Amino acid sequence: MVGAGFAGVECVRRLERKLAPDEADVTLVTPFSYQLYLPLLPQVASGVLTPQSIAVSLRRSRRYRTRIIPGGAIGVDLKSKVCVIRTITEQIVNEPYDYIVLAPGSITRTFDIPGLTDHAFGMKTLAEAAYVRDHVISQLDLADASDDPAERASRLQFVVVGGGYAGTETAACLQRLTHAAVKRYPRIDPSLIKWHLIDIAPKLMPELGDKLGRSAQEILRRRGIEISLGVSLEKAAANEVTFTDGRVVPTRTLIWTAGVAASPLMSTLGAETVRGRLAVTAEMNLPGNDGVFALGDAAAVPDKAKGDEAAVCPPTAQHAMRQGKHVADNVIATLRGRPLEPYVHKDLGLVVDLGGTDAVSKPLGIELRGLPAQAVARGYHWSALRTNVAKARVLTNWTLNALAGDDFVRTGFQARKPATLKDFEYTDAYLTPEQVREQVEAAPKREL
């Protein structure tokens, strides 16, 4: 099993429950032995939740018997049935398999924009969320200490690129953080703090529909967030960014959330892909390779519920979780010589938490705003957390934040080290299909 996201963990846990101890050995390849609840990352960045509350340990219970290899898969040789792994100690090993389930997830989608990967921050990992929080608070500290108007202006303007769920929630949650924090900085004029949310699309979160999308825009604009649609980033520098409409905004904070791309691992297989996602059947197995399954963000799983032959499941948590369970059942069916079942799931709706009492949600097609939408959004996230310990931590954090607010503490996390997109994505770690073949042929198959 490759990947410990929603899809990977659901698959592993179901395999553990349904397989007899002597029926199969289960191995999980992941750089971190926890499952990250990605939809709540903006709340970690804004201090509403602690990092530990959304990182669910995979080693907490003793009843699990999966062997965890701490590292990342950087190539797969389908012919030799070998997964090439780079461990956290930088050792490259060949791990043989009989059946492999690929759920490596996605990476931040970037474009060839000058200065982007050198100066933009991401919102895809726990470390990035923690770093962004420290960075935003430090901008207030440095602006308060500065007597240079130009420096103050650049430190008090913040730019978020990406009008999807991640970008919208990130801008909304962090704007609330700075709005509350600036009251503790008497030397800073609150009107100098400006948040910009830009997206090349003509609508904000178009999946919500026109009415809810407009409601979300109204909420954000009422808070003072400047929303620019049909606009993207032309270039980025250390202390300013240039938009495609010609505007130049002085800023030290550029957060890039403009979509995701499938893990580069999928290109190492030498198999057909659809926009980078591995092309699989509705049963989520790779055509011509009975022991290879793929799911989640990195696989183009046909969306049978839509009735469109060309439709594929969107890269959302609800699909990933259900696909994980379904793939586990299909792996077991393969082991036991039973037929595979196609994956079919109708989308249950969308939730967007804008912080405080603001939210827009569309459960089962019902449009909600305000407190009802907030209750649905947080109720959905709370119920989706895998353990009772995680649920207790998140609920406690929400309650404490609602009653006591934030302490605006920055930890100094990587204070003197770069933490931009290029420092977290590791996209240069993957091998080409030719390099995978050379690695497999050069080294004997062995276990860690």
Side-chain angles (χ1 to χ4, degrees):
M1 180 76 226
V2 175
F6 290 108
V9 171
E10 290 294 334
C11 180
V12 165
R13 294 312 186 216
R14 197 171 185 91
L15 288 173
E16 289 175 326
R17 288 193 299 269
K18 291 198 166 189
L19 286 172
D22 59 349
E23 194 172 3
D25 294 321
V26 183
T27 299
L28 174 63
V29 180
T30 175
F32 306 105
S33 58
Y34 61 77
Q35 178 192 11
L36 178 63
Y37 192 84
L38 275 169
L40 292 179
L41 271 183
Q43 295 192 32
V44 170
S46 63
V48 174
L49 298 175
T50 61
Q52 187 182 10
S53 62
I54 66 166
V56 184
S57 173
L58 301 179
R59 299 187 187 273
R60 185 173 182 85
S61 175
R62 294 181 179 179
R63 67 187 178 91
Y64 296 129
R65 55 189 174 87
T66 295
R67 170 190 169 216
I68 297 177
I69 299 179
I74 58 174
V76 176
D77 189 312
L78 297 175
K79 183 179 179 181
S80 301
K81 291 194 171 184
V82 170
C83 180
V84 182
I85 301 166
R86 188 191 303 273
T87 70
I88 57 175
T89 59
E90 296 299 319
Q91 181 184 11
I92 297 180
V93 298
N94 294 344
E95 185 70 21
Y97 65 83
D98 295 309
Y99 300 90
I100 188 169
V101 179
L102 300 169
S106 56
I107 60 172
T108 301
R109 182 182 62 183
T110 57
F111 302 97
D112 190 19
I113 298 173
L116 175 62
T117 57
D118 292 319
H119 301 293
F121 306 117
M123 188 59 67
K124 197 79 172 62
T125 69
L126 198 60
E128 285 176 311
Y131 183 89
V132 165
R133 172 176 168 78
D134 269 21
H135 173 82
V136 168
I137 295 175
S138 72
Q139 297 313 297
L140 298 180
D141 289 341
L142 292 168
D144 184 62
S146 176
D147 293 320
D148 181 353
E151 180 184 356
R152 278 195 167 194
S154 67
R155 294 197 182 280
L156 296 177
Q157 292 206 68
F158 307 87
V159 177
V160 178
V161 182
Y165 306 110
T168 302
E169 290 187 335
T170 296
C173 290
L174 287 174
Q175 186 275 338
R176 280 180 57 85
L177 170 68
T178 54
H179 179 74
V182 74
K183 298 173 183 177
R184 273 73 172 181
Y185 294 86
R187 294 183 71 241
I188 296 179
D189 181 356
S191 65
L192 294 177
I193 297 180
K194 297 179 182 179
W195 280 86
H196 302 264
L197 176 61
I198 71 171
D199 194 278
I200 194 64
K203 298 179 181 179
L204 199 67
M205 298 179 292
E207 297 88 347
L208 284 174
D210 291 342
K211 291 183 179 179
L212 283 185
R214 283 197 300 269
S215 295
Q217 287 189 52
E218 290 170 4
I219 291 170
L220 298 182
R221 284 181 170 142
R222 190 167 63 242
R223 290 191 194 169
I225 297 176
E226 183 177 325
I227 300 172
S228 300
L229 300 175
V231 176
S232 189
L233 193 68
E234 183 174 303
K235 61 181 178 179
N239 56 5
E240 68 177 25
V241 297
T242 303
F243 296 162
T244 51
D245 62 3
R247 282 180 293 161
V248 178
V249 176
T251 181
R252 309 290 180 99
T253 308
L254 170 62
I255 303 174
W256 179 269
T257 64
V260 297
S263 168
L265 176 67
M266 309 319 261
S267 64
T268 72
L269 278 69
E272 181 185 354
T273 59
V274 178
R275 295 183 179 179
R277 303 170 75 181
L278 193 66
V280 296
T281 66
E283 292 75 22
M284 289 175 284
N285 68 321
L286 184 63
N289 295 268
D290 293 338
V292 180
F293 296 83
L295 66 160
D297 293 4
V301 180
D303 193 346
K304 293 293 185 180
K306 289 187 176 179
D308 181 354
E309 291 296 325
V312 297
C313 296
T316 61
Q318 63 173 290
H319 277 291
M321 293 170 72
R322 288 167 176 81
Q323 287 172 7
K325 294 177 180 178
H326 198 91
V327 158
D329 290 340
N330 279 347
V331 170
I332 294 170
T334 301
L335 282 169
R336 297 173 181 174
R338 298 202 304 259
L340 308 185
E341 296 292 333
Y343 170 76
V344 181
H345 169 67
K346 187 176 181 180
D347 202 304
L348 298 178
L350 306 163
V351 296
V352 182
D353 189 338
L354 300 175
T357 58
D358 293 326
V360 290
S361 300
K362 196 175 182 180
L364 302 174
I366 302 172
E367 297 186 350
L368 300 174
R369 300 167 181 79
L371 279 175
Q374 181 68 282
V376 169
R378 294 202 168 180
Y380 171 77
H381 290 316
W382 184 83
S383 64
L385 291 165
R386 194 173 49 80
T387 68
N388 290 330
V389 172
K391 291 178 179 180
R393 283 180 177 149
V394 166
L395 187 59
T396 300
N397 285 174
W398 279 338
T399 303
L400 283 175
N401 185 266
L403 295 176
D406 200 327
D407 290 326
F408 313 111
V409 173
R410 59 186 177 96
T411 63
F413 176 77
Q414 290 193 343
R416 288 175 171 78
K417 294 182 181 179
T420 54
L421 283 171
K422 68 176 183 178
D423 300 301
F424 285 100
E425 293 294 346
Y426 305 114
T427 52
D428 58 348
Y430 297 90
L431 305 179
T432 65
E434 293 74 23
Q435 290 172 326
V436 171
R437 169 52 46 186
E438 290 175 5
Q439 168 63 26
V440 171
E441 292 177 348
K445 298 179 183 179
R446 66 182 184 87
E447 296 186 356
L448 288 174

